[in-house]
Amino acid sequence: MSENRKGDIQPYFIRNMILAPELENVQGLMPYDPDDRERLKKDIAENGIREPIKGYVEGNKFYILAGATRFEIAKELNTDGRFDMVPVERLDILNDPAEREQFCIDDNVNRRHLTGKQKGVLIDRLLKADPAQSNNSIAKKTNTSDKTVNARRKALEAGSEIPNLKKRKGKDGKEKSAKKIKN
């Protein structure tokens, strides 16, 4: 998503930062492993925050889309003022909350080692949000296979949680017969 970057990495006051609602919506779907969190906390204590926290600015607040764990750790470690300011990358992330939420999912899927169950929850969420998406499209967003998405789709359709559509949007955004897409 580098095309969405607005500028350089800048320091930002931690007291003016909060989790974006889009991140709060998906953060619980992808919990951070406690051992990984401890390793990250130790690294931040020794070396500072090396990867900037990403988000957008509205008013005088920086809304975090990526880096919630780094943000929380910085707050915990900020007993001496060392983390009053942290590096942020302001993203020109469009005005659509759905696109910001997808950015949060993409960032977490690419960073974390998600369990099969966690990936299944993400797939279900995307299918329920837009059942017309092709399996390949959802597979790409969740770093899974189209066969995995198809299995989740069939289960949701069988439980009447999503409709069984005759047409789906292919990767190119065009509607095609679900039978022609075959995934």
Side-chain angles (χ1 to χ4, degrees):
M1 291 219 144
S2 60
E3 68 274 11
N4 291 330
R5 293 187 176 180
K6 185 167 185 156
D8 296 328
I9 296 166
Q10 304 279 326
Y12 207 88
F13 282 106
I14 199 166
R15 68 177 174 265
N16 292 337
M17 298 171 69
I18 59 174
L19 297 184
E22 299 85 4
L23 179 58
E24 288 179 339
N25 288 342
V26 299
Q27 189 74 6
L29 302 174
M30 302 168 281
Y32 214 83
D33 179 85
D35 292 336
D36 289 343
R37 188 184 193 286
E38 278 307 306
R39 280 190 289 280
L40 180 60
K41 184 173 181 178
K42 183 179 181 211
D43 183 65
I44 290 173
E46 292 174 5
N47 303 302
I49 295 178
R50 294 191 262 186
E51 174 72 21
I53 296 169
K54 298 174 186 169
Y56 61 96
V57 175
E58 279 187 8
N60 67 344
K61 293 288 184 196
F62 183 88
Y63 289 86
I64 300 167
L65 292 173
T69 304
R70 284 171 273 149
F71 169 69
E72 292 298 327
I73 289 171
K75 287 190 332 186
E76 290 170 21
L77 295 174
N78 196 31
T79 57
D80 59 0
R82 179 175 172 210
F83 292 101
D84 280 345
M85 296 185 89
V86 296
V88 301
E89 184 174 1
R90 184 176 169 190
L91 303 176
D92 185 16
I93 217 55
L94 311 168
N95 294 321
D96 182 19
E99 288 173 326
R100 291 193 295 247
E101 187 170 298
Q102 186 58 51
F103 175 86
C104 296
I105 291 170
D106 291 345
D107 185 74
N108 280 292
V109 165
N110 292 328
R111 278 182 189 275
R112 298 189 187 172
H113 302 287
L114 300 179
T115 66
K117 184 177 181 177
Q118 289 170 323
K119 287 182 179 184
V121 170
L122 278 177
I123 291 166
D124 291 357
R125 181 183 180 89
L126 292 171
L127 283 168
K128 288 176 183 178
D130 184 5
Q133 293 180 81
S134 73
N135 292 347
N136 275 339
S137 175
I138 292 173
K140 185 176 180 183
K141 291 176 184 178
T142 58
N143 199 20
T144 59
S145 74
D146 62 311
K147 291 168 186 58
T148 300
V149 176
N150 193 51
R152 301 298 299 187
R153 179 185 297 277
K154 287 185 183 294
L156 292 174
E157 288 172 347
S160 298
E161 294 181 63
I162 64 170
N164 187 343
L165 301 174
K166 296 190 187 302
K167 291 190 176 196
R168 295 191 200 142
K169 287 182 258 175
K171 287 188 283 187
D172 58 4
K174 295 179 182 177
E175 271 195 1
K176 299 175 184 167
S177 168
K179 291 180 182 178
K180 282 187 180 179
I181 294 176
K182 293 186 181 177
N183 53 33

